[in-house]
Amino acid sequence: MYKAVIFDFDGTVCDTGEGIFNSTRYALQSFGYKIDENEDLSFMIGPPLLIAFQEHYGASAAEAEELVRKYRERYTNIGLYECELYGGIPELFEALKRDGCALAIASSKPKLYIEQLLDKFNIRKYFDSVCGVDFQVDCEPKPQIVARCIEELGVDKSEALIVGDRSYDIEGASANGIDSAGALWGYGTKFEFIESGATFIAEKPEDIEAIALGLYEQTESVNGIYSGRIITVHNDEVMLCNRKTAERECVDHPGGVAVIGITDEDEILLVRQFRYPYKETIYEIPAGKVEKGEDPYDTGIREFKEECGATADEYFSLGEIYPSPGYTNEIIRLWGARGIHFEEQELDDDEFLEIHKMKYDVLMDKIMSGEIKDAKTVAAAFKLKEYLKRNDIS
């Protein structure tokens, strides 16, 4: 487990691209540079501005300084606020602090700008150290900024993890002998992270907590085994946090939706059908897989109508469940339904089932006795009871 996680800011914590790109164009146009409005300016995120203007636009050192001044003329008052946090970032910080990690920022962005944005998004409270540059010395190398950050945190280098979206962040970590994680949700690419020697590559912010806790499994290769009408099976090689490799057999599934309908008479709608894998006839709530491009909410309404011939005045979410996370990525979305009306069933040609209405107390008795074993039905029944209690619905 890492004791400290150090984040880059632009492109890692916050998507500041709009403000940076607009301010870059403003500066270049002010000095007569010909620019393409559709040009990809992602190279401006990561390195110090002085270096970026010289490397990509051929500006001299003196010209680059003038460009930076003009850039900040707009960025300070407008561009700074043309940004937003990446989804899941506040939740990640909350989780890492709960796990006992110290958090810090190590960025080539001026510290004043960083602190203003931390305050804007109300996330300053999570950080034990904020290391940026000042306006007089704004070309400080990333390895030096990282070293300052480690010193301020007072942790050993082996206990720290750097998270960033560009090669500069990974190289800053390597120069200090620190492990790193490339953030694919930012402006960098997987190839960039591999080439710069990232220890880990994270697809989403939640992955960082798994890495920090020593739980992460990084996909190294995917080997297809079977591709069917509904599922795909593959055998993957993964790298564990201790750098060893292991194999994981996985089943990809498009996901499903299940609906637990409760009538005004406190009866639950169930279907009874033969389930071939278990060679048993079982009770379960109506459910079905999500079709490609279909909204899961629409899936629930469709399946409820097809299997039970029922529609409802109200559908309410009961969350999601992972039915068997050890080998499949299937997600089942659970919905409750009230104000039920009955029409005709619309079963598929290979679908044979009976509709049953069962008092809620009877359903719970059958669940507790083990007569009803279907996981989605068990989960939905308990979730429904808690939902009705919390919303004071009798």
Side-chain angles (χ1 to χ4, degrees), residues 68-291:
V68 170
R69 273 195 282 273
K70 200 65 179 176
Y71 169 98
R72 287 185 176 146
E73 180 181 292
R74 181 189 186 280
Y75 190 80
T76 300
N77 300 305
I78 302 173
L80 177 65
Y81 303 104
E82 294 174 326
C83 64
E84 59 183 2
L85 293 179
Y86 286 103
I89 285 293
E91 293 82 0
L92 170 61
F93 295 155
E94 181 73 35
L96 288 171
K97 295 304 287 187
R98 189 169 59 244
D99 296 331
C101 291
L103 300 185
I105 298 286
S107 171
S108 297
K109 195 182 194 72
K111 183 177 179 179
L112 177 61
Y113 287 159
I114 298 170
E115 290 181 329
Q116 285 177 307
L117 291 177
L118 293 178
D119 290 336
K120 168 183 168 61
F121 293 113
N122 192 32
I123 55 174
R124 179 67 179 85
K125 58 190 175 184
Y126 296 115
F127 292 95
D128 303 280
S129 173
V130 177
C131 293
V133 300
D134 60 41
F135 292 109
Q136 285 70 44
V137 187
D138 62 355
C139 201
E140 185 179 5
K142 195 62 177 269
Q144 193 170 310
I145 299 171
V146 170
R148 272 199 294 119
C149 198
I150 288 291
E151 186 177 353
E152 287 192 14
L153 288 174
V155 297
D156 189 271
K157 293 179 180 180
S158 64
E159 300 172 328
L161 174 74
I162 302 288
V163 182
D165 75 310
R166 299 307 305 269
S167 60
Y168 306 97
D169 307 308
I170 308 306
E171 290 160 2
S174 297
N176 285 277
I178 300 171
D179 287 347
S180 59
L184 283 176
W185 58 87
Y187 288 87
T189 65
K190 186 173 184 179
F191 177 77
E192 181 178 349
F193 297 141
I194 292 172
E195 191 175 48
S196 57
T199 314
F200 304 99
I201 299 176
E203 295 184 1
K204 55 189 182 300
E206 304 96 278
D207 292 342
I208 300 302
E209 183 188 16
I211 293 171
L213 294 175
L215 302 175
Y216 191 56
E217 297 184 0
Q218 180 169 296
T219 304
E220 297 294 297
S221 66
V222 177
N223 304 297
I225 296 174
Y226 169 78
S227 181
R229 184 173 59 88
I230 297 175
I231 64 168
T232 299
V233 183
H234 48 100
N235 186 50
D236 299 356
E237 180 181 304
V238 301
M239 183 186 75
L240 310 176
C241 277
N242 62 3
R243 313 297 194 274
K244 294 183 179 180
T245 59
E247 290 188 350
R248 297 288 183 260
E249 294 179 349
C250 302
V251 176
D252 290 342
H253 188 285
V257 177
V259 180
I260 183 165
I262 184 167
T263 69
D264 293 339
E265 291 74 35
D266 196 34
E267 294 174 322
I268 302 298
L269 291 187
L270 300 170
V271 296
R272 194 165 185 237
Q273 59 186 319
F274 187 82
R275 286 302 194 180
Y276 183 79
Y278 291 102
K279 305 293 194 297
E280 290 182 19
T281 302
I282 66 173
Y283 288 103
E284 57 189 290
I285 57 176
K289 71 179 178 68
V290 179
E291 301 295 344

Side-chain angles (χ1 to χ4, degrees), residues 7-23:
F7 291 87
D8 170 54
F9 192 80
D10 294 331
T12 303
V13 170
C14 191
D15 186 357
T16 53
E18 182 182 354
I20 291 173
F21 303 156
N22 289 339
S23 299

